[in-house]
């Protein structure tokens, strides 16, 4: 075994030692927030800038302007954005497509959402009304 491989092995083994010291009755919830997402709204075929926001749930926060409402909606669907009920209401018939994406995790499980809507209003309403309202 080369010296560099031996050093990497020793460092990896040392990093894992604290993990073996966790008591059997440890709290099963992951450390950190219940959910964390990077949300993006990107115009399709335009030179307009994309918009983005961070969202943390449990405690609710991040750079999202209505984090508490967005997190309440996500709690109802275990963080699965595609399962959010559409918010009823009117939108214009303007065709200015936007792609909305969300990457993150919910209670330790990875979550990804990517969909194109005909306009921003349809995107906001189609994802529950709060999640992409920034």
């Amino acid at each position: 075994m080369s010296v560099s491989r031996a050093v990497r092995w020793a460092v990896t083994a040392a990093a894992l030692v604290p993990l073996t010291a966790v008591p059997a009755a440890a709290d099963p919830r992951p450390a950190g927030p219940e959910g964390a997402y990077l949300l993006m709204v990107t115009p399709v075929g335009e030179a307009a800038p994309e918009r983005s926001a961070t969202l943390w749930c449990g405690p609710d926060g991040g750079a999202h302007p209505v984090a508490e409402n967005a997190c309440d909606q996500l709690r109802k669907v275990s963080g699965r954005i595609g399962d959010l009920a559409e918010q009823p209401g009117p939108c214009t018939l303007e065709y200015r497509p936007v792609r909305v994406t969300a990457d993150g995790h919910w209670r330790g499980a990875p979550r990804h959402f990517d969909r194109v809507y005909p306009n921003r209003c349809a995107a906001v309403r189609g994802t529950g009304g709060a999640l992409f309202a920034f």
Side-chain angles (χ1 to χ4, degrees), residues 29 32-37 55-62 64 66-85 105-107 111 127-128 130-131:
R29 292 176 298 176
E34 177 179 26
Y37 293 87
L55 176 67
W56 296 287
C57 300
D60 301 348
H64 198 288
V66 289
E68 188 174 335
N69 292 345
C71 289
D72 286 346
Q73 290 181 341
L74 287 171
R75 285 184 188 97
K76 293 177 184 176
V77 295
S78 298
R80 290 184 180 88
I81 297 167
D83 292 347
L84 288 169
H105 67 84
W106 188 263
R107 295 187 177 165
R111 297 286 191 253
T127 55
L131 195 63

Side-chain angles (χ1 to χ4, degrees), residues 46 90-98 117-123:
E46 287 186 26
C91 284
T92 65
L93 297 178
E94 167 186 40
Y95 185 70
R96 293 184 71 183
V98 294
Y117 290 90
N119 59 49
R120 184 165 175 73
C121 177

